[in-house]
Amino acid sequence: MIGRVQDFRKDAIADNVADNLIVFDGECVLCSAFFRFMLHHDHAHVFQFATAQSPLGQRLYAALDLPLDDFETNLVIVDGEVFGHLDAFAAAMTRLSWPWRMLVALRWLPEGIKMPVYRVIARNRYRVFGRYDTCMVPDAAMRARFATGGF
């Protein structure tokens, strides 16, 4: 199960993957809100994006031996290192400016606290926040921020 920095780099799981990439569930309203938040606040355009349902997303989830149809975690790759669960969110915050950068502190919460809380949110996200009937289709401006094979 992933959470903390992986003991492998993204090049060990897939070729031609951006060093800074966010993979999110494109049907999940909460996950898509995280994507839109990052798109809006990533002023330096550090990250590329991919939906979990895309060919690239499927390849990454498969390489990490994660389910290919029930995406309980976003994946965040920062400088080639793979993060999941709450650590993925914290890793993404490392690339944003203040005040968002202070959310990196979530990474240091004890595992016994952050994983149960994360799991409850992840398992109930469709019920609480909703689900899109289909994966989002980015417009031309958004599409420029997506990795090859990312939607």
Side-chain angles (χ1 to χ4, degrees), residues 60-139:
L60 290 168
Y61 278 82
L64 291 165
D65 200 28
L66 294 170
L68 301 179
D69 57 355
D70 182 26
F71 311 106
E72 79 168 39
T73 183
N74 293 322
L75 298 176
V76 174
I77 300 174
V78 174
D79 294 334
E81 294 180 291
V82 182
F83 299 83
H85 303 104
L86 193 55
D87 288 340
F89 177 81
M93 295 302 108
T94 66
R95 296 301 187 249
L96 299 184
S97 60
W98 183 261
W100 309 115
R101 189 171 297 201
M102 71 182 183
L103 294 172
V104 171
L106 294 171
R107 181 182 292 163
W108 293 288
L109 287 173
E111 291 291 321
I113 294 173
K114 70 179 173 180
M115 285 308 294
V117 170
Y118 186 91
R119 284 189 186 114
V120 166
I121 293 169
R123 288 187 180 134
N124 294 291
R125 69 190 185 280
Y126 295 139
R127 187 172 340 135
V128 174
F129 299 100
R131 182 178 194 159
Y132 296 119
D133 291 331
T134 59
C135 202
M136 64 165 268
V137 177
D139 62 25

Side-chain angles (χ1 to χ4, degrees), residues 10 22-23 25 27 41 59 72 77 94 108 110 114-115:
K10 58 91 183 172
I22 294 175
V23 185
D25 180 350
E27 295 176 357
H41 292 285
R59 203 169 83 227
E72 79 168 39
I77 300 174
T94 66
W108 293 288
K114 70 179 173 180
M115 285 308 294

Side-chain angles (χ1 to χ4, degrees), residues 20-22 38 42 45-49 77 92 95 145:
N20 298 293
L21 176 71
I22 294 175
M38 291 302 297
D42 179 19
H45 292 212
V46 171
F47 287 103
Q48 289 188 326
F49 300 94
I77 300 174
R95 296 301 187 249
R145 298 288 307 276

